[in-house]
Amino acid sequence: MADQIDYTILGDDMQAVSICLDPGESVRADPGSMMWMEDGIEMETSTGGGIMSGLKRAIGGESFFITTFTNEGGRLATVGFAADYPGRIIPVDLSRGEVLCQRDAYLCSAQGIEVSVAFTKKLGAGFFGGEGFILQKLSGDGLGFIHAGGHVIERELAAGETLRVDTGCIVGFESTVDYDIKMVKGVKTMLFGGEGLFYATLRGPGLCWIQTLPFSRLADRISAAGGAGSKGEHKRFGDIVGGFLGGE
């Protein structure tokens, strides 16, 4: 049975998760994701299981170190976490089985969850899958929390059911889901379809999660807006962003 930690997802499009810890209870998180911690909670940063555990996380896109937050007080206390770009936080019950997800998706988890690296089994998925050969693997008996850009759609695929997805829009999927890459058909579609040369196929059974705004798309659009036009346009773009951030 999963360790059912008490949590609350806060916000709509720029979410945070608040976790309530009993005395003696712990939660682990990616370094730099903590927003607050109440009195009684102490944090300790370590490799979380030795050098090899740290290396596995580093290869998978996470920090070499992991931070553990423990309630050492005599009453309930909360700690809050958030990711470093806009999006949704997804609670994942790993008692159902392992989950594979995109690099940098992991946010925090119950104490018993292990974050490691997984390699795609098929050569095509490795070269053209958007995430390369390396995915993050979350395993254990408890709750984990992953982060994705924009809104997140959860789909449970029946045995043999197939979903074709843009490679960058995949957040994660259960290990029972078969993941592969297919080439787009038709020369015109390849050149002018705007969707790239490849798409991913997810074949059930199992859960999968899809994001509406991959961070790579957001970064590309900001880069294009900032790099186009004259110096005046650059300044205008900077003024707009500055005004937005400044609350004007």
Side-chain angles (χ1 to χ4, degrees), residues 130-149:
E131 300 298 332
F133 287 102
I134 300 172
L135 297 169
Q136 286 183 333
K137 179 172 70 174
L138 306 183
S139 58
D141 187 19
L143 284 175
F145 297 86
I146 58 179
H147 181 267

mmCIF file of all heavy atoms in Angstrom, residues 130-149:
data_model
loop_
_atom_site.group_PDB
_atom_site.id
_atom_site.type_symbol
_atom_site.label_atom_id
_atom_site.label_comp_id
_atom_site.label_asym_id
_atom_site.label_seq_id
_atom_site.Cartn_x
_atom_site.Cartn_y
_atom_site.Cartn_z
ATOM 1 N N GLY A 130 12.935 13.023 -28.871
ATOM 2 C CA GLY A 130 12.849 14.299 -28.182
ATOM 3 C C GLY A 130 13.588 14.307 -26.866
ATOM 4 O O GLY A 130 14.120 15.323 -26.446
ATOM 5 N N GLU A 131 13.640 13.175 -26.160
ATOM 6 C CA GLU A 131 14.327 13.077 -24.881
ATOM 7 C C GLU A 131 15.606 12.249 -24.992
ATOM 8 O O GLU A 131 16.239 11.954 -23.994
ATOM 9 C CB GLU A 131 13.389 12.432 -23.842
ATOM 10 C CG GLU A 131 12.107 13.213 -23.594
ATOM 11 C CD GLU A 131 12.370 14.589 -23.039
ATOM 12 O OE1 GLU A 131 13.393 14.778 -22.375
ATOM 13 O OE2 GLU A 131 11.550 15.479 -23.286
ATOM 14 N N GLY A 132 15.986 11.852 -26.234
ATOM 15 C CA GLY A 132 17.177 11.043 -26.401
ATOM 16 C C GLY A 132 16.983 9.655 -25.831
ATOM 17 O O GLY A 132 15.875 9.159 -25.709
ATOM 18 N N PHE A 133 18.079 9.009 -25.476
ATOM 19 C CA PHE A 133 17.996 7.659 -24.936
ATOM 20 C C PHE A 133 17.569 7.650 -23.472
ATOM 21 O O PHE A 133 17.195 6.607 -22.948
ATOM 22 C CB PHE A 133 19.375 6.981 -25.023
ATOM 23 C CG PHE A 133 19.753 6.583 -26.417
ATOM 24 C CD1 PHE A 133 20.650 7.339 -27.149
ATOM 25 C CD2 PHE A 133 19.216 5.450 -26.999
ATOM 26 C CE1 PHE A 133 21.008 6.969 -28.424
ATOM 27 C CE2 PHE A 133 19.573 5.077 -28.283
ATOM 28 C CZ PHE A 133 20.468 5.836 -29.002
ATOM 29 N N ILE A 134 17.645 8.785 -22.812
ATOM 30 C CA ILE A 134 17.546 8.800 -21.355
ATOM 31 C C ILE A 134 16.208 9.358 -20.896
ATOM 32 O O ILE A 134 15.764 10.423 -21.319
ATOM 33 C CB ILE A 134 18.691 9.638 -20.756
ATOM 34 C CG1 ILE A 134 20.041 9.031 -21.159
ATOM 35 C CG2 ILE A 134 18.571 9.706 -19.249
ATOM 36 C CD1 ILE A 134 21.223 9.887 -20.793
ATOM 37 N N LEU A 135 15.548 8.619 -20.018
ATOM 38 C CA LEU A 135 14.338 9.053 -19.341
ATOM 39 C C LEU A 135 14.551 8.911 -17.838
ATOM 40 O O LEU A 135 15.446 8.187 -17.399
ATOM 41 C CB LEU A 135 13.142 8.204 -19.771
ATOM 42 C CG LEU A 135 12.740 8.254 -21.242
ATOM 43 C CD1 LEU A 135 11.718 7.164 -21.533
ATOM 44 C CD2 LEU A 135 12.179 9.614 -21.609
ATOM 45 N N GLN A 136 13.741 9.608 -17.062
ATOM 46 C CA GLN A 136 13.756 9.414 -15.618
ATOM 47 C C GLN A 136 12.837 8.258 -15.256
ATOM 48 O O GLN A 136 11.781 8.081 -15.861
ATOM 49 C CB GLN A 136 13.278 10.675 -14.899
ATOM 50 C CG GLN A 136 14.286 11.795 -14.890
ATOM 51 C CD GLN A 136 13.793 12.986 -14.101
ATOM 52 O OE1 GLN A 136 12.592 13.202 -13.985
ATOM 53 N NE2 GLN A 136 14.691 13.757 -13.561
ATOM 54 N N LYS A 137 13.240 7.488 -14.255
ATOM 55 C CA LYS A 137 12.398 6.396 -13.759
ATOM 56 C C LYS A 137 12.108 6.622 -12.291
ATOM 57 O O LYS A 137 13.024 6.793 -11.488
ATOM 58 C CB LYS A 137 13.095 5.043 -13.962
ATOM 59 C CG LYS A 137 12.273 3.862 -13.448
ATOM 60 C CD LYS A 137 12.889 2.531 -13.842
ATOM 61 C CE LYS A 137 14.183 2.262 -13.107
ATOM 62 N NZ LYS A 137 14.718 0.911 -13.382
ATOM 63 N N LEU A 138 10.829 6.641 -11.954
ATOM 64 C CA LEU A 138 10.395 6.766 -10.565
ATOM 65 C C LEU A 138 9.845 5.420 -10.125
ATOM 66 O O LEU A 138 8.970 4.851 -10.792
ATOM 67 C CB LEU A 138 9.317 7.837 -10.422
ATOM 68 C CG LEU A 138 9.637 9.233 -10.974
ATOM 69 C CD1 LEU A 138 8.482 10.174 -10.685
ATOM 70 C CD2 LEU A 138 10.928 9.768 -10.413
ATOM 71 N N SER A 139 10.346 4.916 -9.011
ATOM 72 C CA SER A 139 9.899 3.614 -8.521
ATOM 73 C C SER A 139 9.824 3.639 -7.005
ATOM 74 O O SER A 139 10.457 4.453 -6.341
ATOM 75 C CB SER A 139 10.850 2.509 -8.997
ATOM 76 O OG SER A 139 12.180 2.764 -8.561
ATOM 77 N N GLY A 140 9.040 2.715 -6.471
ATOM 78 C CA GLY A 140 8.880 2.639 -5.024
ATOM 79 C C GLY A 140 7.429 2.428 -4.657
ATOM 80 O O GLY A 140 6.567 2.196 -5.516
ATOM 81 N N ASP A 141 7.135 2.568 -3.374
ATOM 82 C CA ASP A 141 5.771 2.361 -2.883
ATOM 83 C C ASP A 141 5.316 3.624 -2.186
ATOM 84 O O ASP A 141 5.469 3.780 -0.979
ATOM 85 C CB ASP A 141 5.736 1.158 -1.927
ATOM 86 C CG ASP A 141 4.318 0.798 -1.528
ATOM 87 O OD1 ASP A 141 3.388 1.220 -2.239
ATOM 88 O OD2 ASP A 141 4.142 0.119 -0.502
ATOM 89 N N GLY A 142 4.777 4.561 -2.963
ATOM 90 C CA GLY A 142 4.363 5.832 -2.393
ATOM 91 C C GLY A 142 3.996 6.814 -3.483
ATOM 92 O O GLY A 142 3.857 6.462 -4.655
ATOM 93 N N LEU A 143 3.846 8.064 -3.090
ATOM 94 C CA LEU A 143 3.473 9.117 -4.026
ATOM 95 C C LEU A 143 4.696 9.891 -4.504
ATOM 96 O O LEU A 143 5.575 10.226 -3.712
ATOM 97 C CB LEU A 143 2.495 10.088 -3.370
ATOM 98 C CG LEU A 143 1.040 9.627 -3.208
ATOM 99 C CD1 LEU A 143 0.247 10.672 -2.440
ATOM 100 C CD2 LEU A 143 0.402 9.380 -4.568
ATOM 101 N N GLY A 144 4.708 10.173 -5.802
ATOM 102 C CA GLY A 144 5.698 11.069 -6.364
ATOM 103 C C GLY A 144 4.975 12.220 -7.050
ATOM 104 O O GLY A 144 3.796 12.103 -7.414
ATOM 105 N N PHE A 145 5.662 13.331 -7.244
ATOM 106 C CA PHE A 145 5.072 14.494 -7.892
ATOM 107 C C PHE A 145 5.978 14.919 -9.042
ATOM 108 O O PHE A 145 7.176 15.149 -8.844
ATOM 109 C CB PHE A 145 4.900 15.651 -6.897
ATOM 110 C CG PHE A 145 3.958 15.341 -5.772
ATOM 111 C CD1 PHE A 145 4.414 14.699 -4.626
ATOM 112 C CD2 PHE A 145 2.612 15.658 -5.869
ATOM 113 C CE1 PHE A 145 3.553 14.395 -3.584
ATOM 114 C CE2 PHE A 145 1.735 15.355 -4.827
ATOM 115 C CZ PHE A 145 2.203 14.725 -3.682
ATOM 116 N N ILE A 146 5.402 14.999 -10.240
ATOM 117 C CA ILE A 146 6.154 15.449 -11.409
ATOM 118 C C ILE A 146 5.521 16.728 -11.940
ATOM 119 O O ILE A 146 4.349 17.010 -11.681
ATOM 120 C CB ILE A 146 6.228 14.363 -12.500
ATOM 121 C CG1 ILE A 146 4.824 13.929 -12.947
ATOM 122 C CG2 ILE A 146 7.025 13.160 -11.991
ATOM 123 C CD1 ILE A 146 4.852 12.871 -14.047
ATOM 124 N N HIS A 147 6.312 17.488 -12.699
ATOM 125 C CA HIS A 147 5.877 18.792 -13.174
ATOM 126 C C HIS A 147 5.898 18.812 -14.693
ATOM 127 O O HIS A 147 6.767 18.211 -15.327
ATOM 128 C CB HIS A 147 6.806 19.883 -12.621
ATOM 129 C CG HIS A 147 6.420 21.263 -13.050
ATOM 130 N ND1 HIS A 147 6.955 21.871 -14.165
ATOM 131 C CD2 HIS A 147 5.551 22.156 -12.523
ATOM 132 C CE1 HIS A 147 6.431 23.073 -14.295
ATOM 133 N NE2 HIS A 147 5.573 23.265 -13.314
ATOM 134 N N ALA A 148 4.920 19.521 -15.280
ATOM 135 C CA ALA A 148 4.841 19.632 -16.728
ATOM 136 C C ALA A 148 4.392 21.031 -17.111
ATOM 137 O O ALA A 148 3.829 21.767 -16.292
ATOM 138 C CB ALA A 148 3.876 18.592 -17.284
ATOM 139 N N GLY A 149 4.622 21.410 -18.377
ATOM 140 C CA GLY A 149 4.296 22.748 -18.839
ATOM 141 C C GLY A 149 2.866 22.870 -19.335
ATOM 142 O O GLY A 149 2.332 21.979 -20.001
#
